């Protein structure tokens, strides 16, 4: 049977494969080398996207080596596959551990494949130029070569994304040997990224994975991007997540390097780089519709932003939506208010991670929520507030519960477009949560709140059930997770009823580990969310014909 199949022209094999499901195509490709070659024809890949998880692959290899006592490197098979299909890939995402020298080394190896030439590739065409090449002529020529044999493998790449699983540690935490090795690897990585940008034809989306050691070379990378992709780049992600948000050097980004990108729609960047000059430059483009700003510590030399610059930007970009990520921001509230929150900035997504870490009595977060509710209620679509659980009993922060009027309820009342609300680590009474769900109803599509943060101190439900009849009995728990099951059920049902769907609060086991275990990196709680923004913007802004 295989002998007969070998004589079929590639155009017929391609036609047969087109009728098969992806699983059946893989089975058919095991028939012989000819069919395996045809499986890698561009026409057999309607979605020319590839997501590579180097962290998972390296983990599987280690487990195999441990139990089978033999060397097994899955990255070899991965590189072989990428070498065959990279010539028609349009979208590549690579997940890796930036703290693992072997992962970074493999990442560089994958980019090297993209940088190679396809002179010795035999490319399967879709059949239109098929010359009915059979095995009786040669055993290897199953297809025709492209006319230009020296085109880079990355010529079709349109979207390239780095997706680290963690933030690379500062060199202070590494010993001298690892320090030198990691420095060298990241220098090689930046060099390869610059070469990749130079080789691609029409990049539309690029993300550097919030890696500070890469983004420190933003000027160098932007020069190459502007040289080759100024007329095609739509999504540019230069924002970072710091290994140490309290102390880090601020590099100078030349704002003029962003001028050539004529159709830029999405830009993510650190607040350290944002200036009136940048906002005015963006206002001249009139194409920006997504602006993501990461705010770490605010440098004393930052000049702030004027309200007029925001007004001009909004006036020229009517569809602009801003995402604001406050990351360990414990600086003066005045800077946040004057430069960001008390402006015409069209804030759509507000996230505050570990803001105002001055103790349980610090109510900075309450002031921030009030500012958002009063100034941005017409545009706000989602809000995320997250902080650590404190004390040996891991109790939530009580700043919202101590207020007579909860600003979260006012936020829910004012913000008609609010569809997502996540609050973790802050104590809120059940009556306020019920008020929030009643105000927003079924429009609140995503509502995340932990069971261990729901307070019963002023709960009408607990009072009706006689829970506090013996108020002076200190064994009585005032948080819902310690209450009897029938009270838990009643409170959860009353919160869920306006949502018109089944809703359950987060359990203690579902909380991010970093909130309850100080040994874990706090960055793990928000890194995936920030990186997901960079993927979602890619999907919403890059609907090209080659992915249909």
């Amino acid at each position: 049977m295989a002998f007969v199949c070998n004589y079929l022209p590639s155009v017929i094999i391609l036609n047969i494969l087109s009728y098969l499901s992806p699983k059946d195509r893989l089975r058919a490709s095991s028939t012989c080398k000819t069919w395996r070659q045809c499986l890698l024809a561009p026409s057999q890949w309607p979605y020319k996207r590839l997501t590579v998880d180097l962290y998972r692959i390296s983990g599987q290899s280690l487990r195999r080596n441990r139990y089978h006592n033999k060397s097994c490197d899955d990255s070899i098979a991965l590189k072989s596959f990428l070498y065959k299909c990279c010539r028609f890939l349009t979208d590549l995402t690579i997940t890796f551990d930036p703290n693992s020298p072997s992962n970074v080394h493999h990442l560089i190896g994958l980019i090297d494949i993209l940088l190679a030439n396809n002179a010795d590739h035999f490319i399967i065409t879709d059949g239109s130029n098929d010359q009915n090449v059979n095995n009786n002529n040669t055993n290897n020529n199953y297809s025709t070569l492209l006319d230009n044999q020296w085109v880079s493998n990355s010529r079709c790449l349109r979207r390239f994304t780095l997706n680290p699983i963690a933030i690379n540690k500062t060199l202070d935490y590494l010993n001298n040997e690892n320090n030198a090795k990691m420095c060298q690897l990241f220098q090689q990585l930046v060099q390869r990224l610059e070469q990749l940008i130079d080789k691609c034809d029409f990049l539309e989306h690029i993300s550097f994975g919030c890696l500070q050691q890469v983004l420190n070379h933003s000027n160098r990378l932007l020069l190459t991007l502007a040289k080759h992709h100024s007329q095609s780049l739509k999504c540019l992600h230069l924002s970072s997540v710091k290994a140490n948000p309290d102390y880090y050097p601020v590099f100078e980004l030349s704002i003029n390097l962003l001028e050539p990108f004529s159709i830029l729609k999405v830009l993510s960047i650190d607040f350290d780089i944002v200036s009136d000059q940048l906002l005015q430059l963006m206002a001249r483009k009139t194409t920006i519709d997504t602006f993501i700003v990461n705010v770490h510590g605010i440098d004393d030399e930052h000049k702030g932003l004027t309200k007029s610059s925001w007004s001009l930007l909004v006036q020229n970009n009517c569809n602009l939506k801003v995402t604001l990520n406050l990351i360990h921001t414990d600086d003066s509230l005045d800077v946040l208010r004057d430069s960001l929150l008390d402006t015409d900035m069209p804030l759509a997504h507000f996230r505050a991670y570990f803001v105002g870490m001055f103790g349980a009595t610090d109510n900075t977060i309450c002031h921030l929520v009030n500012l958002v509710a009063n100034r941005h209620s017409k545009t706000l679509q989602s809000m995320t507030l997250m902080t650590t659980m404190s004390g040996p009993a891991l109790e939530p922060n009580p700043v919202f519960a101590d207020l007579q009027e909860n600003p979260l309820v006012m936020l829910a009342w004012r913000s008609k477009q609010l569809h997502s609300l996540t609050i973790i680590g802050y104590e809120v009474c059940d009556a306020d949560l019920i008020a929030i769900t009643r105000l927003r109803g079924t429009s609140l599509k995503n509502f995340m709140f932990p069971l261990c943060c729901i307070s019963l101190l002023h709960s009408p439900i607990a009072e009706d059930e006689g829970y506090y009849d013996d108020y002076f009995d200190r064994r009585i728990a005032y948080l819902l997770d310690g209450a009897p099951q029938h009270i838990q059920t009643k409170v959860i049902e009353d919160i869920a009823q306006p949502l018109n769907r089944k809703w359950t609060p987060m359990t203690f086991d579902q909380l991010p580990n970093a909130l309850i275990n100080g040994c874990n990196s706090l960055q793990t709680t928000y890194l995936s969310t920030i990186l997901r923004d960079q993927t979602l913007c890619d999907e919403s802004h890059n609907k090209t014909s080659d992915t249909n």
Side-chain angles (χ1 to χ4, degrees), residues 191-468:
Q191 181 185 30
R192 297 303 198 283
L193 289 172
E194 187 177 15
Q195 292 172 350
L196 179 64
I197 293 170
D198 184 67
K199 290 281 189 178
C200 295
D201 286 347
F202 302 102
L203 271 178
E204 298 176 3
H205 168 278
I206 190 163
S207 167
F208 299 108
C210 295
L211 294 172
Q212 187 63 39
Q213 285 177 278
V214 174
L215 292 164
N216 284 338
H217 303 273
S218 293
N219 284 320
R220 171 180 166 186
L221 296 169
L222 278 174
L223 271 172
T224 309
L225 279 168
K227 180 179 179 181
H228 298 282
H229 310 286
S230 61
Q231 304 302 312
S232 63
L233 195 68
K234 298 178 182 178
C235 303
L236 175 61
H237 295 285
L238 300 174
S239 60
S240 69
V241 172
K242 313 294 185 184
N244 185 356
D246 296 325
Y247 177 76
Y248 59 91
V250 178
F251 71 94
E252 292 186 9
L253 178 69
S254 179
I255 301 301
N256 293 330
L257 293 176
L258 296 171
E259 182 75 46
F261 302 105
S262 59
I263 62 171
L264 193 65
K265 292 181 175 293
V266 181
L267 176 64
S268 69
I269 202 166
D270 291 342
F271 181 71
D272 301 305
I273 311 300
V274 181
S275 62
D276 283 341
Q277 181 187 0
L278 174 63
L279 297 185
Q280 292 163 9
L281 183 150
M282 293 168 61
R284 293 196 298 270
K285 291 185 179 300
T286 71
T287 59
I288 303 288
D289 58 26
T290 302
F291 187 33
I292 304 172
V293 182
N294 288 359
V295 185
H296 300 87
I298 300 176
D299 190 75
D300 293 336
E301 298 182 2
H302 196 287
K303 298 179 181 179
L305 308 173
T306 61
K307 295 182 180 181
S308 59
S309 295
W310 279 112
S311 300
L312 179 63
L313 176 60
V314 174
Q315 180 181 349
N316 293 348
N317 296 270
C318 300
N319 297 321
L320 179 67
K321 292 181 176 61
V322 176
T323 296
L324 193 60
N325 297 313
L326 305 185
I327 306 174
H328 303 271
T329 309
D330 55 9
D331 294 271
S332 171
L333 183 63
D334 295 338
V335 177
L336 294 175
R337 181 187 64 238
D338 297 340
S339 293
L340 296 169
L341 294 179
D342 192 17
T343 66
D344 291 334
M345 173 181 65
L347 183 63
H349 307 286
F350 177 80
R351 306 187 185 110
Y353 300 104
F354 314 107
V355 168
M357 301 284 286
F358 299 117
T361 58
D362 177 40
N363 59 357
T364 298
I365 191 65
C366 299
H367 291 299
L368 293 176
V369 173
N370 266 324
L371 273 172
V372 173
N374 293 329
R375 204 71 166 85
H376 306 283
S377 58
K378 293 182 179 180
T379 58
L380 189 69
Q381 298 178 13
S382 73
M383 174 175 282
T384 297
L385 309 178
M386 191 177 297
T387 192
T388 53
M389 310 284 279
S390 60
L394 296 176
E395 296 178 350
N397 190 313
V399 290
F400 287 112
D402 291 342
L403 298 175
Q404 291 185 350
E405 295 184 0
N406 193 329
L408 293 170
V409 177
M410 181 62 67
L411 178 86
W413 176 59
R414 288 179 175 272
S415 306
K416 307 303 182 184
Q417 296 189 48
L418 186 69
H419 61 74
S420 178
L421 184 61
T422 299
I423 306 170
I424 300 177
Y426 293 99
E427 177 185 336
V428 179
C429 70
D430 63 335
D432 287 340
L433 292 177
I434 293 171
I436 290 171
T437 57
R438 286 180 178 176
L439 287 167
R440 295 276 42 92
T442 56
S443 64
L444 194 61
K445 303 300 181 184
N446 180 53
F447 183 42
M448 298 182 66
F449 198 91
L451 182 69
C452 62
C453 295
I454 300 177
S455 171
L456 296 175
L457 279 179
H458 306 288
S459 169
I461 297 175
E463 292 178 2
D464 291 343
E465 295 289 334
Y467 185 56
Y468 287 113

